[in-house]
Amino acid sequence: MNYMHNVNIERSILSSFLFNPEHFYNSASKLSADDFYYPAHRYMYEAICTIVAEDKPIDEEFIRAEMNKNKRFDEDAMLEVSATNPLPNVDAYIEELRVKSQNRAINQLTIEIKKKQSESENVHDILGFISKKTDDISDKNCGANIASMIDIADEFHEKFMHIADEKEKTQELKSGIVTLDNIIGSFEPGDLVIVCARPSMGKTSFATTITNLADKRGIGVLFDSMEMTKEKLFRRLLVDRSGENLNDIKRGLVKNPEKFNKALRELRNTKNIILHDKSLLTIHQLVAKAASIFRKNPHIKYWFIDHLRYIKKDGVNISNEISDITKMIKKVAKEYGVVAFALSQLNRANEARQNKRPQLSDLRESGAVEEDADIVIAPHRESYYNRNDPSIPELPINEAELGVIKNRDGECNIAKCWFYGPSTSFSAMPPVTVHDYREPKIEMGVI
């Protein structure tokens, strides 16, 4: 089974590291100890990594001393490596070693799949397991792209000029809410954006607002709604786009049939929005499904997940679960160049404060989510907390805030905007008079 391992190649690579340490420094990011099939070679590579980390030279005596700590030193194996001619260029041999390592991993996976099938009849769990394992094998040892400062500077300049080109600005990944974009600038592919708020504060409304604005600019959106059915989500998108009253739509009434029918036709014909409403997916099922969609629809740049607490993951420590979930979401977002918006609940801490504006510490499992997030946006409506005060009635249109409470590459600030209650949408447009929502209603027109 020489497609699974080649001890001679392993020996030659180690010899090259020993006689020319520069080979190790240039190639180590592409290798791991598991790539070596022969145990003595695996232990030797681990020892080299350790002594390099300790800023010691790659030398036989240091390797021997390190391996002796765990009683792993093999004199015969060291002699064979020392007697092997070093390679002038190890890159091709390292690639061959990695291929053999992946073949072993695939062989091991077939065994694990059979075991998994004997333990569970849930085909979704098995497919999720296979998807994760194959992703691990594909990603394993892909190697860091080591680039010179010239390469990095040239790549930056090319992207900068692309952004600076006025004709290309229409495709920037902005929210479309001007006051928010003035703070954030634009989102970047691979960003994980956490949208957090208390219930009924506007997390989903923010997501549907951005979805509609993205669609109008030709930017694709995948919306995974694990809390709301796709029919209800579609209705939210429709009232946001048409300006109708959500409660009226539920009763089959509209105030502007022409605008309503136009919005309905636009949503019906759009190729930019994909809605999913499968509940209680495991994180492996979620990312596998999303990855499949991204591969088939490269125009998709926004991925909404509503919301984090509806994603399942086996485990005991909830914080660790959430951390694993956000890390996997971010990994997929980075791999496919999309912006991931994950909606999350706040705890009740802000309700006990006089100033009820959300803080990072109000996030559930805040340490896990906050660490992975590139941007955290917290919708806030003071009118919501005043709604029970008869002296302060909640109007159809109210001032709202989109608090940028974490921004890894920019400022944190509050974006002032408007929340349109009847259509459950956010806007940075000038105020609209209340009577617009009180016009006589008529039967829904024919499309």
Side-chain angles (χ1 to χ4, degrees), residues 198 345-351 361-365:
R198 290 294 296 152
Q345 202 88 288
L346 290 178
N347 59 39
R348 295 179 181 273
N350 72 313
E351 295 183 354
S361 57
D362 298 333
L363 270 167
R364 287 186 174 179
E365 296 83 41

Side-chain angles (χ1 to χ4, degrees), residues 163 168-189 191 193 206 210 213 217 219 302 339 341 374-375 377 402 404 406-415:
I163 293 171
E168 297 293 337
K169 282 190 176 181
T170 55
Q171 288 304 309
E172 284 185 317
L173 301 180
K174 292 180 175 291
S175 72
I177 299 174
V178 177
T179 48
L180 181 62
D181 293 334
N182 287 341
I183 297 172
I184 294 174
S186 60
F187 302 110
E188 295 189 3
D191 276 351
V193 181
F206 173 81
I210 304 305
L213 292 171
R217 297 174 62 224
I219 297 172
Y302 290 161
V339 181
F341 296 82
D374 296 287
I375 298 171
I377 299 173
L402 296 172
V404 181
K406 180 185 177 182
N407 189 0
R408 197 185 297 277
D409 293 323
E411 67 169 315
C412 294
N413 211 328
I414 294 173

Side-chain angles (χ1 to χ4, degrees), residues 318-328 368-369 371-372:
I318 294 178
S319 294
N320 289 343
E321 287 184 24
I322 294 295
S323 180
D324 289 346
I325 287 169
T326 52
K327 281 180 170 58
M328 289 191 71
V369 178
E371 179 183 352
D372 295 327

Side-chain angles (χ1 to χ4, degrees), residues 217-229:
R217 297 174 62 224
I219 297 172
V221 177
L222 169 61
F223 203 122
D224 275 300
S225 176
M226 286 170 277
E227 182 178 24
M228 191 180 294
T229 66

Side-chain angles (χ1 to χ4, degrees), residues 364-432:
R364 287 186 174 179
E365 296 83 41
S366 59
V369 178
E370 179 186 347
E371 179 183 352
D372 295 327
D374 296 287
I375 298 171
V376 178
I377 299 173
H380 175 68
R381 292 184 289 121
E382 197 65 31
S383 61
Y384 177 82
Y385 292 104
N386 295 330
R387 69 192 186 284
N388 295 324
D389 186 342
S391 66
I392 313 176
E394 186 173 27
L395 299 173
I397 303 171
N398 288 277
E399 288 189 12
E401 297 177 353
L402 296 172
V404 181
I405 57 178
K406 180 185 177 182
N407 189 0
R408 197 185 297 277
D409 293 323
E411 67 169 315
C412 294
N413 211 328
I414 294 173
K416 296 287 187 179
C417 56
W418 295 95
F419 180 74
Y420 296 73
S423 61
T424 63
S425 60
F426 288 89
S427 174
M429 293 170 63
V432 178

Side-chain angles (χ1 to χ4, degrees), residues 262-274:
K262 179 177 182 290
L264 186 55
R265 285 194 299 271
E266 288 174 353
L267 284 172
R268 182 179 182 274
N269 295 324
T270 186
K271 301 263 195 292
N272 295 322
I273 303 175
I274 296 177

Side-chain angles (χ1 to χ4, degrees), residues 121-137:
E121 295 182 358
N122 190 322
V123 68
H124 295 296
D125 286 346
I126 295 171
L127 289 173
F129 168 79
I130 294 172
S131 176
K132 180 182 184 303
K133 288 290 186 179
T134 52
D135 281 347
D136 289 344
I137 293 170

